């Protein structure tokens, strides 16, 4: 819809030329449009009124409206009258208008013209992909400089995230690994802004995102989750097998004194109670975590407390790092640095303690039937992962030679053997077969 002078008409022509070149079609009426662009005039008060009326008509008849043109310079006026518009841009801002249309109605892939597939180019195997939902972080951990490097939390619009996830699954991705610096804080910075996905409104909230991802039919694995209270809401989805029973939570330590120095939440007893409640809701929940030993000021008593907490928590997968100073980190100024030989000793003791926990947990899987996603096929069988294992950082499931397997197949297998880190199993039947290349 173009209002105002011939100069505005030329702007409209440029916008529709660009959109038409990208494969968009013009609709003769509101009902057939995925989005309505209103190019406004703001020269006279009467022109402003006409533009506001046109925006109101488009909102009433369609509801998905992008506003541009001269009146767009008075964004507050437009939003006061029509707060539901998708975007407001000023005159001559062709790129901003096109970007707003892309957000509202992403362009379709043309296999004859596009050099890049709709799911983009990926360095992971075809059957799994990482889905980044935000950048940056609002936490101020004393050992970390991520906020200095990547800035504060910046969540992606929920419609963008889900559109990418849908493109990936349509391209054959069987496992989505949700990542960010703080996954459970998703949407906080944008006020949980509402987006439109599959024709319905959806807020940019952690639980809403998980529920929507669950509808895509792929394995959904959650990484870098902080145990905020609202995370409890995702456990029923895991119990119902809508998303994987797997939470990657970086606890870092258990000693209240060390956690305070790290500027981390220091409620290790409440965390244990929380883990107990989660396992009551989802008995086969896997918790993966990372820890730091040798942090400045860590005493032997602090470390012994950590070992005791680890034995009680019975985490499924655990990584451990020896503390290293990072240039620019606040922890560098802390007193009582731990000697390198003490760090090394504590690291070995920590890993030995967790190895026994892991060995017992995996031994309990022997004889059980589990789902396995195949990562690699070899002459003597295949290597895959269970629902409790993320690629590259967790364990593997070694499958005995069986049916004609290929990467991306999801099979039902019975566990025959276990060690401290990996499982061995025999294939029973296909759950999902990967598409042939």
């Amino acid at each position: 819809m173009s209002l105002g002078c011939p100069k505005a008409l030329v702007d409209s022509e440029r916008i529709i030329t660009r959109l038409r070149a990208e494969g968009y079609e013009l609709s003769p009426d509101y009902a057939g449009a995925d989005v309505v662009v209103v190019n406004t005039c703001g020269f006279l008060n009467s022109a402003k009124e006409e533009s506001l009326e046109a925006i109101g008509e488009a909102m009433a008849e369609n509801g998905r409206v992008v506003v541009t043109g001269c009146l767009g310079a008075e964004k507050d006026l437009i939003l006061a009258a029509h707060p539901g518009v998708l975007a407001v841009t000023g005159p001559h801002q062709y790129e901003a208008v096109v970007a707003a249309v892309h957000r509202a109605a992403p362009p379709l892939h043309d296999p004859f013209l596009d050099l890049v597939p709709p799911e983009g180019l990926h360095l992971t195997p075809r059957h799994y992909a990482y889905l980044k939902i935000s950048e940056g972080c609002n936490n101020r951990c004393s050992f970390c400089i991520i906020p200095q490097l990547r800035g504060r939390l910046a969540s992606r619009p929920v419609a963008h995230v889900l559109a990418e996830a849908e493109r990936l699954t349509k391209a054959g991705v069987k496992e989505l690994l949700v990542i960010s610096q703080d996954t459970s804080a998703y949407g906080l910075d944008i006020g949980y802004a509402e987006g439109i996905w599959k024709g319905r409104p959806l807020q940019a909230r952690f639980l809403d995102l998980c529920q929507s991802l669950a509808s895509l039919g792929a394995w959904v694995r959650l990484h870098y989750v902080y145990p905020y209270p609202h995370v409890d809401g995702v456990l029923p989805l895991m119990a119902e097998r809508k998303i994987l029973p797997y939470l990657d939570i970086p606890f870092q330590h258990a000693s209240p004194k060390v956690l305070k120095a790290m500027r981390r939440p220091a409620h290790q007893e409440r965390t244990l109670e929380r883990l107990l409640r989660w396992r009551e809701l989802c008995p086969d929940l896997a918790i993966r975590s990372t820890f730091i030993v040798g942090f400045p000021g860590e005493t032997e008593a602090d470390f012994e407390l950590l070992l005791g907490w680890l034995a009680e928590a019975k985490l499924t997968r655990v990584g451990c790092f020896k503390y290293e100073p990072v240039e620019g980190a606040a922890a560098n100024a802390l007193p009582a640095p731990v000697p390198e030989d003490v760090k090394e000793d504590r690291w070995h003791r920590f890993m030995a303690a967790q190895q026994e926990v892991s060995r017992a947990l995996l031994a309990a899987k022997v004889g059980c039937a589990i789902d396995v996603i195949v990562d690699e096929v070899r002459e003597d069988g295949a290597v895959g992962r269970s629902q409790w294992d993320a690629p590259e950082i967790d364990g593997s499931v070694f499958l005995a030679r069986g049916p004609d397997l290929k990467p991306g197949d999801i099979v039902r297998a019975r566990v025959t053997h276990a060690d401290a880190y990996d499982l061995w199993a025999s294939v029973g039947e296909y759950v999902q077969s990967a598409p042939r290349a």
Side-chain angles (χ1 to χ4, degrees):
M1 184 183 301
S2 188
L3 306 173
C5 66
K7 293 187 287 292
L9 184 66
V10 171
D11 290 344
S12 295
E13 289 173 344
R14 289 177 176 172
I15 291 168
I16 64 173
T17 297
R18 167 73 181 274
L19 293 172
R20 190 70 186 89
E22 294 183 355
Y24 289 91
E25 294 182 3
L26 300 181
S27 172
D29 52 41
Y30 289 118
D34 292 309
V35 61
V36 178
V37 179
V38 180
N39 192 359
T40 60
C41 179
F43 184 59
L44 300 172
N45 286 339
S46 59
K48 292 181 181 181
E49 291 175 8
E50 181 187 6
S51 293
L52 290 172
E53 288 175 5
I55 296 168
E57 178 183 312
M59 288 294 293
E61 297 293 332
N62 182 281
R64 295 168 60 72
V65 178
V66 172
V67 178
T68 188
C70 293
L71 189 60
E74 299 186 48
K75 184 175 181 178
D76 291 343
L77 174 67
I78 294 171
L79 292 179
H82 305 291
V85 298
L86 298 177
V88 178
T89 73
H92 316 306
Q93 296 183 5
Y94 315 124
E95 295 297 328
V97 175
V98 171
V101 173
H102 286 172
R103 290 193 293 271
L108 298 177
H109 173 65
D110 187 335
F112 298 104
L113 297 178
D114 296 340
L115 297 177
V116 177
E119 71 275 15
L121 300 176
H122 293 270
L123 300 177
T124 52
R126 182 182 178 188
H127 60 281
Y128 69 80
Y130 293 96
L131 182 67
K132 185 187 286 188
I133 64 172
S134 65
E135 284 283 4
C137 184
N138 288 348
N139 297 308
R140 292 295 181 266
C141 304
S142 63
F143 55 83
C144 181
I145 60 170
I146 289 295
Q148 296 153 250
L149 296 176
R150 294 182 176 267
R152 293 179 61 80
L153 178 70
S155 301
R156 295 176 60 196
V158 66
H160 288 198
V161 175
L162 290 170
E164 180 183 352
E166 191 170 27
R167 289 194 299 270
L168 289 168
T169 55
K170 286 181 177 178
V173 168
K174 297 294 187 71
E175 179 180 9
L176 296 169
L177 298 106
V178 180
I179 58 169
S180 67
Q181 299 299 329
D182 185 353
T183 295
S184 39
Y186 174 69
L188 175 65
D189 58 303
I190 55 176
Y192 309 110
E194 190 175 90
I196 302 294
W197 187 60
K198 292 190 173 181
R200 62 182 180 87
L202 185 72
Q203 287 192 311
R205 291 183 180 273
F206 173 71
L207 181 57
D208 293 358
L209 178 65
C210 290
Q211 289 170 332
S212 298
L213 290 172
S215 71
L216 296 176
W219 282 15
V220 178
R221 191 180 301 278
L222 302 177
H223 285 275
Y224 312 115
V225 175
Y226 282 68
Y228 305 134
H230 66 267
V231 173
D232 293 2
V234 85
L235 269 296
L237 295 178
M238 295 180 174
E240 295 165 12
R241 290 295 181 267
K242 292 181 177 178
I243 64 175
L244 295 182
Y246 181 102
L247 281 173
D248 175 7
I249 303 175
F251 291 120
Q252 305 299 8
H253 214 280
S255 162
K257 185 190 80 178
V258 175
L259 287 169
K260 184 177 180 181
M262 289 179 167
R263 300 180 187 166
R264 305 278 295 183
H267 306 294
Q268 80 282 9
E269 291 180 359
R270 268 186 268 172
T271 300
L272 286 174
E273 293 172 3
R274 196 95 170 279
L275 294 179
L276 184 62
R277 289 201 308 273
W278 286 351
R279 286 168 176 150
E280 288 172 352
L281 290 169
C282 183
D284 61 351
L285 173 67
I287 302 288
R288 138 166 277 282
S289 191
T290 51
F291 294 84
I292 297 172
V293 295
F295 192 77
E298 180 192 61
T299 64
E300 180 64 20
D302 293 323
F303 180 69
E304 288 290 344
L305 190 156
L306 171 59
L307 292 183
W309 188 91
L310 197 65
E312 194 170 352
K314 292 182 170 54
L315 304 180
T316 314
R317 299 295 188 187
V318 169
C320 183
F321 300 90
K322 291 168 277 189
Y323 172 76
E324 294 181 20
V326 177
E327 185 176 352
N332 297 343
L334 292 174
V338 176
E340 291 301 319
D341 61 331
V342 176
K343 290 182 191 177
E344 185 74 16
D345 175 68
R346 288 177 182 171
W347 183 85
H348 284 287
R349 289 161 62 194
F350 179 100
M351 294 304 293
Q354 175 57 29
Q355 190 176 61
E356 293 310 306
V357 172
S358 179
R359 191 187 304 278
L361 292 174
L362 292 185
K365 303 290 184 189
V366 175
C368 296
I370 64 172
D371 288 344
V372 179
I373 189 167
V374 176
D375 286 330
E376 179 186 356
V377 177
R378 301 173 177 175
E379 288 187 6
D380 60 344
V383 183
R385 290 173 291 108
S386 74
Q387 297 182 82
W388 310 292
D389 297 299
E392 299 187 358
I393 56 173
D394 294 331
S396 298
V397 180
F398 296 94
L399 299 170
R401 191 173 185 85
D404 182 20
L405 298 175
K406 56 189 179 300
D409 283 345
I410 299 177
V411 297
R412 194 77 172 158
R414 190 164 298 279
V415 179
T416 58
H417 176 68
D419 66 12
Y421 300 109
D422 302 312
L423 298 173
W424 283 256
S426 57
V427 177
E429 59 185 11
Y430 284 95
V431 176
Q432 288 184 37
S433 182
R436 295 288 179 183

